[in-house]
């Protein structure tokens, strides 16, 4: 069984307790306009062009027999990619002398993924950490994700997943046997806004949270704070109220906006306009939103500082 992977992150301290290694899988059912890992949305591999590495030798254009690559006009990035024509054969990647072309992911077997994750086992044991599967969303590749989680759990390693919970309830609940901690996003309570900014209905997500919290106690709810969209007192209060009413005492964390993904959007030739000019919330603004949580029966969690 193979999975489609796009990254491993070692010494991760924001993806669960202790020191962890996070495995990032491609494929996500949501299309959030602010996605920090846009390369993880589409499960299919995609070709990336790194303009700064390109020496305009045009060897990739000459190598591609499908017409997916063309030399750009003067003043534009050296190479243009027609992703509809690209077959992902990899010939151009192999031919490029400066590695200006690469795929945004790769295939990996369960055994290979587990072997890579367990390289850091000593850190897990000394810090109370473990492994986390993120993405994308692990529920988009459920069989592969559960096989990796089960293999790690059988070896005594703490396991966690980060998920939007947008999936069939039976798929989400099937993760409870191999997952110690569920880190789940509840981005917006207003369904129309949720559809506008993520492309999906949130009723499945909210219903799945109810079902998950009824059978599993180790859950961390996160609200990604996007200025003017999710980072409003009204939305934070609505999420807090829903979580408190559904599962009192649940841990809830506010995740500040991170603008560092802009370079990825540029590399992928994707629109970043909706996020242009947005800045992370100040400590004072975070304090105001966290103060909202005090009136509810929750366990507020503040993002770790390293």
């Amino acid at each position: 069984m193979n999975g489609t992977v796009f990254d491993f992150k070692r010494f991760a301290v924001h993806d669960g307790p202790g020191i962890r290694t996070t495995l990032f899988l491609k494929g996500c059912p949501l299309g959030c306009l602010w996605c920090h890992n846009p390369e993880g949305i589409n499960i299919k591999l995609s070709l990336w062009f790194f303009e700064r590495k390109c020496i305009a030798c045009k060897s990739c254009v000459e190598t591609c027999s499908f017409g997916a690559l063309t030399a750009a006009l003067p003043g534009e990035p050296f190479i243009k990619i027609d992703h509809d024509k690209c077959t992902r054969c990899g010939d151009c990647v192999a031919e490029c002398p400066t590695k200006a072309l690469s795929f945004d992911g790769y295939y990996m077997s369960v055994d290979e993924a587990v072997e890579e994750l367990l390289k850091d086992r000593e850190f897990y044991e000394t810090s109370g950490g473990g492994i986390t599967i993120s993405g994308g969303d692990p529920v988009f590749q459920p069989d592969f994700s559960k096989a990796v989680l089960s293999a790690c759990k059988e070896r005594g390693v703490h396991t966690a997943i980060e998920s939007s919970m947008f999936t069939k309830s039976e798929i989400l609940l099937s993760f409870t046997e191999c997952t110690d901690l569920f880190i789940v996003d509840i981005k917006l309570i207003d369904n129309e806004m949720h559809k506008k900014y993520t492309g999906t209905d949130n009723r499945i997500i909210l219903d799945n949270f109810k079902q998950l919290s009824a059978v599993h106690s180790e859950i961390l709810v996160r609200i990604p704070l996007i200025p003017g969209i999710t980072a409003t007192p009204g939305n934070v209060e609505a999420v807090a109220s829903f979580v408190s009413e559904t599962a009192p005492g649940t841990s809830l964390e506010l995740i500040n906006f991170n603008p560092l993904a802009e370079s990825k959007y540029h590399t992928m030739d994707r629109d970043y306009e909706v996020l242009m000019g947005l800045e992370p919330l100040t400590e004072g603004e975070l304090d105001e939103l966290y103060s909202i949580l005090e009136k509810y029966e929750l366990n507020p969690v503040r993002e770790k500082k390293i």
Side-chain angles (χ1 to χ4, degrees):
M1 185 192 306
N2 286 334
T4 311
V5 174
F6 70 89
D7 198 12
F8 279 87
K9 180 182 178 183
R10 302 190 183 283
F11 208 84
V13 296
H14 298 293
D15 302 332
I19 297 172
R20 313 185 71 80
T21 298
T22 302
L23 167 61
F24 292 87
L25 302 183
K26 284 177 66 64
C28 182
L30 273 61
C32 303
L33 295 182
W34 57 79
C35 184
H36 190 58
N37 293 317
E39 71 272 39
I41 295 176
N42 193 336
I43 194 170
K44 294 181 179 179
L45 299 185
S46 184
L47 190 63
W48 279 26
F49 172 58
F50 296 91
E51 182 180 347
R52 292 182 179 179
K53 294 183 178 181
C54 184
I55 57 174
C57 66
K58 300 181 183 178
S59 60
C60 59
V61 176
E62 297 167 359
T63 299
C64 182
S65 57
F66 302 97
L69 300 176
T70 55
L73 297 173
E76 297 179 341
F78 299 128
I79 301 299
K80 286 188 175 181
I81 304 173
D82 187 333
H83 292 280
D84 292 331
K85 291 182 180 180
C86 179
T87 65
R88 304 170 185 84
C89 67
D91 289 347
C92 62
V93 174
E95 188 68 22
C96 180
T98 61
K99 306 301 180 186
L101 289 168
S102 70
F103 289 115
D104 63 354
Y106 48 95
Y107 302 112
M108 177 173 271
S109 71
V110 171
D111 289 343
E112 289 171 333
V114 172
E115 180 182 3
E116 194 68 25
L117 290 166
L118 293 182
K119 287 180 179 179
D120 301 319
R121 187 170 184 172
E122 183 177 348
F123 294 105
Y124 311 153
E125 293 173 349
T126 57
S127 70
I131 69 102
T132 300
I133 301 185
S134 185
D137 196 320
V139 301
F140 207 83
Q141 299 186 55
D143 294 336
F144 179 81
S145 297
K146 288 187 291 184
V148 172
L149 291 164
S150 295
C152 291
K153 191 171 176 63
E154 287 169 3
R155 290 163 174 79
V157 175
H158 183 275
T159 59
I161 67 169
E162 294 182 329
S163 176
S164 68
M165 300 184 290
F166 190 88
T167 186
K168 294 179 180 179
S169 60
E170 55 266 31
I171 291 178
L172 181 66
L173 296 180
S174 70
F175 275 81
T176 58
E177 296 182 1
C178 54
T179 304
D180 295 308
L181 172 66
F182 285 80
I183 304 172
V184 298
D185 279 357
I186 299 182
K187 301 170 175 67
L188 289 157
I189 290 294
D190 183 275
N191 193 31
E192 292 306 311
M193 287 189 66
H194 197 278
K195 287 190 285 188
K196 176 180 178 180
Y197 290 108
T198 73
T200 62
D201 191 304
N202 72 355
R203 287 174 291 188
I204 292 175
I205 293 171
L206 301 182
D207 185 60
N208 275 341
F209 177 74
K210 293 177 181 179
Q211 295 193 53
L212 177 64
S213 61
V215 298
H216 198 87
S217 59
E218 294 300 312
I219 301 174
L220 169 62
V221 175
R222 283 177 168 172
I223 307 175
L225 298 176
I226 313 303
I229 302 175
T230 65
T232 66
N235 183 62
V236 170
E237 179 142 20
V239 174
S241 177
F242 167 77
V243 174
S244 177
E245 182 179 339
T246 304
T250 297
S251 297
L252 195 153
E253 182 176 19
L254 306 180
I255 303 296
N256 206 352
F257 175 69
N258 189 335
L260 297 180
E262 182 177 354
S263 61
K264 292 184 179 181
Y265 283 80
H266 177 70
T267 301
M268 297 173 68
D269 195 24
R270 286 189 52 177
D271 179 30
Y272 191 76
E273 186 174 352
V274 70
L275 300 177
M276 290 294 290
L278 296 185
E279 297 288 342
L281 277 67
T282 65
E283 285 299 312
E285 291 170 328
L286 284 173
D287 289 340
E288 290 181 12
L289 293 180
Y290 266 103
S291 69
I292 294 172
L293 308 184
E294 296 175 0
K295 67 179 75 173
Y296 295 97
E297 193 175 345
L298 294 169
N299 175 29
V301 177
R302 198 79 178 237
E303 192 174 5
K304 302 173 187 175
K305 299 292 183 183
I306 58 171

